[in-house]
Each structure stands twice: as C-alpha cells, then as structure tokens.
C-alpha cells in the first residue's frame, strides 16, 4: 500500500512538471500604477487600431516583443494599438440579468398575480414605477460594461517573455 502511494505521488510530480512551462504574457499596465491586465496565448483580445481606426477582436495565437498574432492569421504591431477593450462581466450580469430581466419579470409576476386573483388594476402604478426604474438602471449601466483603456495616454502595452530570461541572479 505504501509503495502504491509513493508511485502515485511520483507520477503526479512528474506529470505536473511536464505541464509547467514558461509563458508569454501581453500586459496592459496603467502608467504609474501596479494595476494591470494580463493576456496569454489562447485569450480573447479586443482592441482598436491607430491606422485605419479598425475594431479588431480575436484569439491571441502568438506573441513576440513588438507584435501579436490573432487567430493564426493577423499580425498586429503593438504600436498600432490605440485602445484595448475589456468586458466587465460582473456589471454585464448585474445590468442584464438583475436589473433589466428582473424589472420585466417583476411586472410579469405582478400582472399574472392580478389576473389570477381578478384584481381591478392588474398592475398598479407603484409596480410600474419600480419596474421602469429597474430597467432604466440596467440600461444606464450599459456604457460602463466595456472598459476602454487608451494606450499611449493612460495605459501601456508590454510583452513579458519568460522563455528568454537573461541576466544574472
């Protein structure tokens, strides 16, 4: 039994060392701050270009010191990126699921309850005000869902390549 446990631990140790390898990261870092966002090969990236003012969205398939490759087809120089867009998933869920759908569901539930109980105004004025307020808050949150990071002004792009570490420790 002890021998089987040792063999299992040895196998897991060897397996995890094979899975660990150096990575390359595209880092979007705020000037003068430690705030940053890291992207690696296989992550989705959305940005706007300087030349032509195009919106580009794709999966990062390659990184080097001055450019990145999207979807194995498009090479983009880092100095041609003017804005990087990042979706705030918490705000997206809060806006769409809680406020907008919640406001519609609240009116539907109160209306259905009014039909079942044969109430005279099926939906009262207070319910409509609350529901309209919830929907309005959800719609008002929409512009804040996508964070726009202006590259030369407030943010900078860096590529961290852990495959080519040089220097003395």
């Amino acid at each position: 039994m002890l021998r089987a446990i040792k063999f299992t631990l040895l196998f897991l140790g060897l397996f995890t060392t094979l899975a660990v390898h150096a990575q390359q990261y595209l880092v979007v870092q705020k000037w003068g701050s430690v705030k940053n966002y890291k992207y690696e090969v296989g992550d989705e990236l959305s940005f706007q270009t300087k030349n032509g003012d195009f919106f580009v969205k794709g999966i990062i398939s390659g990184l080097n010191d001055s450019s990145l490759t999207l979807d194995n087809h498009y090479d983009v120089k880092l100095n041609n990126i003017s804005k990087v867009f990042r979706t705030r998933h918490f705000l997206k869920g809060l806006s769409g699921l809680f406020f907008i759908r919640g406001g519609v569901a609240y009116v539907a539930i109160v209306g259905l309850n009014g039909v079942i109980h044969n109430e005279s105004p099926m939906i009262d004025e207070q319910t409509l005000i609350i529901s309209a307020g919830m929907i309005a808050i959800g719609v008002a949150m929409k512009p804040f869902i996508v964070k726009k990071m202006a590259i030369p002004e407030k943010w900078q792009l860096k590529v961290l390549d852990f495959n080519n570490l040089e220097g003395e420790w």
Side-chain angles (χ1 to χ4, degrees):
M1 182 68 176
L2 184 60
R3 188 174 193 190
I5 292 173
K6 285 182 181 179
F7 178 74
T8 304
L9 289 176
L10 178 66
F11 178 73
L12 287 175
L14 290 174
F15 184 71
T16 56
T17 56
L18 291 175
V20 175
H21 59 283
Q23 299 258 343
Q24 294 175 322
Y25 293 100
L26 173 68
V27 179
V28 183
Q29 182 177 11
K30 193 167 190 176
W31 286 102
S33 174
V34 294
K35 187 172 192 171
N36 61 50
Y37 300 100
K38 295 172 195 69
Y39 298 92
E40 59 183 307
V41 174
D43 289 346
E44 186 176 76
L45 182 66
S46 303
F47 59 89
Q48 184 176 359
T49 62
K50 288 181 187 174
N51 298 335
D53 204 29
F54 295 112
F55 176 77
V56 181
K57 184 176 185 178
I59 305 293
I60 299 173
S61 56
L63 287 170
N64 63 32
D65 60 344
S66 63
S67 67
L68 59 93
T69 306
L70 289 178
D71 298 328
N72 290 323
H73 295 293
Y74 308 107
D75 288 329
V76 180
K77 299 281 186 194
L78 293 181
N79 58 8
N80 190 23
I81 298 175
S82 66
K83 288 182 185 173
V84 175
F85 302 105
R86 185 170 179 91
T87 302
R88 297 173 175 151
H89 296 287
F90 176 74
L91 289 181
K92 184 177 181 179
L94 188 67
S95 168
L97 183 64
F98 181 73
F99 283 112
I100 294 175
R101 291 182 190 164
V104 171
Y106 182 56
V107 166
I109 290 170
V110 170
L112 185 63
N113 191 32
V115 168
I116 291 172
H117 294 294
N118 202 16
E119 295 176 355
S120 179
M122 287 188 297
I123 302 171
D124 59 342
E125 185 179 337
Q126 182 180 2
T127 302
L128 289 175
I129 291 172
I130 292 170
S131 177
M134 288 178 70
I135 293 171
I137 289 171
V139 171
M141 288 176 67
K142 291 288 186 184
F144 302 106
I145 290 174
V146 176
K147 181 178 186 126
K148 299 169 187 81
M149 298 176 276
I151 295 306
E153 292 86 26
K154 294 185 179 182
W155 297 81
Q156 62 180 333
L157 289 175
K158 295 180 181 179
V159 174
L160 299 179
D161 188 3
F162 292 111
N163 293 328
N164 298 323
L165 288 179
E166 296 178 5
E168 296 181 22
W169 300 95

